[in-house]
C-alpha cells in the first residue's frame, strides 16, 4: 500500500511538471520583456529573476523527459527510439542548465552591461564552452523534445494528439526566431504537453 501511494505521488509530481516547466519558461519570457520595457534588463533584479525562472523551468523538464521515456505499451525498437530521444533531451537540459547558471553568475558579479559582455566573452572563449554550453549540445534539449513528442504521437495516438508535435515545433521556431517570443513559444509547448500527462506510466 505504501509503495502504491509513493508511486501515485511520483506520478502526480511528474504530471505537475508538464504544466510547471512551460509555465516557468513563459515566466522567464515575461520578466525579460518587462525588464527590457523599463530599460533595466542587465545586471540587477530583472536579469536575476528572469534567469532564476529560466533555470527552474529547464530543470522542471527533467521529470517531463523521464516521465515520457518509458511509455506503456511501447516495446522493442520503438521504446529504444523513445529512450534515445529522451536521453538526448536530458543531455540538452544539462547544457542549458549550465548556461543558465553562468548567466546568473555573470549577472550577479558584473557591474554594468559592458562588464557583463566582457565576462561572457571570456567564458565563451574557453575551448569547448561554445559548442557544449551555448550552441550544439543545448539544441538537443529542443530536438530531443520534438523527437520524443513526435514518436509518441505515432506510437500512442490514443493519448498524444497529432497537433502536439506541431505545437512543439511552433514553439521552438518562435523561440529561435526571437527571444521576445519566448512566452508565446512556451505556451505552445505547454499546450502540446498538457494532454500527454495521461500517458504517464503508473
Amino acid at each position: 500500500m505504501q509503495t502504491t501511494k509513493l508511486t501515485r505521488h511520483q506520478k502526480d509530481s511528474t504530471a505537475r511538471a508538464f504544466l510547471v516547466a512551460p509555465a516557468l519558461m513563459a515566466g522567464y519570457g515575461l520578466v525579460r520583456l518587462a525588464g527590457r520595457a523599463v530599460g533595466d534588463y542587465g545586471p540587477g533584479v530583472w536579469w536575476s529573476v528572469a534567469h532564476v525562472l529560466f533555470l527552474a523551468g529547464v530543470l522542471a523538464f527533467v521529470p517531463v523527459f523521464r516521465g515520457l521515456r518509458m511509455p506503456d505499451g511501447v516495446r522493442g525498437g520503438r521504446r529504444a527510439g523513445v529512450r534515445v530521444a529522451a536521453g538526448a533531451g536530458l543531455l540538452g537540459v544539462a547544457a542549458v542548465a549550465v548556461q543558465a547558471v553562468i548567466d546568473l553568475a555573470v549577472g550577479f558579479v558584473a557591474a554594468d552591461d559592458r562588464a557583463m559582455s566582457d565576462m561572457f566573452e571570456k567564458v565563451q572563449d574557453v575551448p569547448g564552452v561554445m559548442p557544449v554550453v551555448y550552441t550544439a549540445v543545448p539544441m538537443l534539449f529542443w530536438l530531443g523534445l520534438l523527437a520524443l513528442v513526435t514518436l509518441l504521437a505515432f506510437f500512442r495516438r490514443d493519448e498524444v494528439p497529432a497537433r502536439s508535435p506541431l505545437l512543439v515545433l511552433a514553439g521552438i521556431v518562435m523561440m529561435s526566431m526571437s527571444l521576445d517570443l519566448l512566452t508565446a513559444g512556451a505556451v505552445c509547448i505547454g499546450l502540446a504537453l498538457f494532454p500527454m500527462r495521461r500517458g504517464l506510466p503508473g
Side-chain angles (χ1 to χ4, degrees):
M1 182 66 70
Q2 188 175 0
T3 302
T4 301
K5 288 182 179 179
L6 180 60
T7 301
R8 186 179 299 114
H9 175 72
Q10 291 173 337
K11 183 175 179 179
D12 290 343
S13 297
T14 301
R16 283 193 293 271
F18 280 63
L19 301 177
V20 171
L24 287 169
M25 295 293 281
Y28 162 49
L30 288 173
V31 173
R32 179 184 177 278
L33 286 174
R36 288 170 62 85
V38 299
D40 190 30
Y41 192 66
V45 175
W46 290 103
W47 178 275
S48 296
V49 172
H51 284 79
V52 166
L53 291 171
F54 178 38
L55 177 59
V58 170
L59 293 178
F61 272 95
V62 171
V64 173
F65 282 113
R66 289 176 59 88
L68 294 176
R69 68 178 180 172
M70 291 188 294
D72 292 336
V74 178
R75 299 286 183 267
R78 291 183 173 188
R79 172 163 287 203
V82 169
R83 296 190 74 173
V84 167
L90 288 169
L91 184 59
V93 165
V96 178
V98 171
Q99 181 186 141
V101 170
I102 292 172
D103 290 351
L104 271 170
V106 170
F108 183 77
V109 174
D112 53 34
D113 290 344
R114 178 61 182 272
M116 179 181 280
S117 296
D118 290 342
M119 289 183 186
F120 278 128
E121 187 173 340
K122 290 178 180 177
V123 170
Q124 293 169 3
D125 281 344
V126 175
V129 167
M130 278 301 290
V132 172
V133 179
Y134 286 96
T135 55
V137 180
M139 282 301 298
L140 294 177
F141 177 19
W142 304 111
L143 294 176
L145 181 63
L146 179 60
L148 184 58
V149 174
T150 302
L151 288 172
L152 293 175
F154 279 105
F155 301 156
R156 298 303 303 270
R157 296 181 183 180
D158 54 329
E159 294 170 348
V160 182
R163 66 179 179 274
S164 286
L166 298 177
L167 285 167
V168 172
L169 178 60
I172 293 172
V173 169
M174 282 190 280
M175 291 180 183
S176 63
M177 286 175 58
S178 171
L179 292 179
D180 291 343
L181 298 176
L182 271 166
T183 299
V187 169
C188 285
I189 291 172
L191 291 173
L193 294 178
F194 180 77
M196 297 177 65
R197 300 177 305 156
R198 299 191 302 269
L200 294 174

